[in-house]
Amino acid sequence: MDKIDIKILSLLEENARYPLKYLAENVFLSSPAVSARIERLEKQGIINGYHASLDPITLGYHITAFINLSLEPKQKPEFYPFIEACPNVLECNCVTGNYSMLIKVCFPSTSELDLFIGQLQTFGRTETQIVFSTPVPHRGINVNVLNENDADEDSTEE
């Protein structure tokens, strides 16, 4: 991955709907060359999707919460299909610490969140934090840091 790939990734994270022509102009390559680079980045698994960013509150989901769940390892084969099938689960991570799962959810109301927590408690102990505000919303990896690291390495080689 070179500096041009990093610039393309940075632009796509900024707006995945930028036209190919715009991307090409910004990296000083032809549109077919940029298209080939994007295809290669997709095949390498560096780009694994393109997503729309939706506003949950506008869609009626007023409650965002993080739920910690203590889960026994033997329960994972039953738990993983259950949690994957839950449409209100935005993310589920297996983590270290006092709990084994960290689950991010979105619900229209606290009563619906409460029902879901009840279902989770069949798997183990839970602890829930309700989000009041999000000063730093979800964002992608800052690929420009990769560019800076390359520049640092280049300067130490001289």
Side-chain angles (χ1 to χ4, degrees):
M1 194 163 63
D2 63 15
K3 291 180 180 184
I4 294 172
D5 289 337
I6 291 169
K7 179 67 175 174
I8 291 168
L9 291 172
S10 177
L11 289 165
L12 288 173
E13 274 196 320
E14 185 180 300
N15 181 353
R17 294 187 65 172
Y18 278 144
L20 203 51
K21 182 180 178 188
Y22 177 82
L23 297 173
E25 289 170 357
N26 276 273
V27 297
F28 306 105
L29 292 177
S30 67
S31 293
V34 172
S35 180
R37 283 176 176 261
I38 291 171
E39 186 175 332
R40 179 179 43 80
L41 292 166
E42 290 170 345
K43 285 181 180 172
Q44 291 175 332
I46 293 169
I47 297 174
N48 60 25
Y50 300 89
H51 310 278
S53 180
L54 307 178
D55 180 26
I57 292 173
T58 303
L59 294 171
Y61 292 84
H62 298 277
I63 306 297
T64 299
F66 289 92
I67 304 168
N68 290 295
L69 171 66
S70 181
L71 182 73
E72 295 295 323
K74 66 182 181 206
Q75 294 175 291
K76 287 181 179 181
E78 181 186 354
F79 175 74
Y80 285 166
F82 164 79
I83 203 71
E84 182 143 356
C86 297
N88 297 82
V89 172
L90 304 179
E91 195 173 313
C92 179
N93 299 280
C94 187
V95 297
T96 61
N98 293 329
Y99 294 91
S100 51
M101 295 291 159
L102 176 61
I103 306 161
K104 182 178 180 181
V105 297
C106 231
F107 283 92
S109 67
T110 54
S111 60
E112 290 172 87
L113 172 62
D114 185 40
L115 289 172
F116 178 71
I117 291 169
Q119 292 175 325
L120 280 181
Q121 289 172 338
T122 64
F123 292 98
R125 181 173 51 95
T126 65
E127 183 177 286
T128 303
Q129 295 88 37
I130 293 177
V131 174
F132 287 143
S133 66
T134 306
V136 179
H138 176 80
R139 58 184 174 195
I141 294 173
N142 183 354
V143 292
N144 292 316
V145 173
L146 297 173
N147 220 353
E148 292 168 9
N149 290 341
D150 288 344
D152 290 344
E153 289 172 15
D154 292 343
S155 65
T156 57
E157 291 174 5
E158 295 173 4

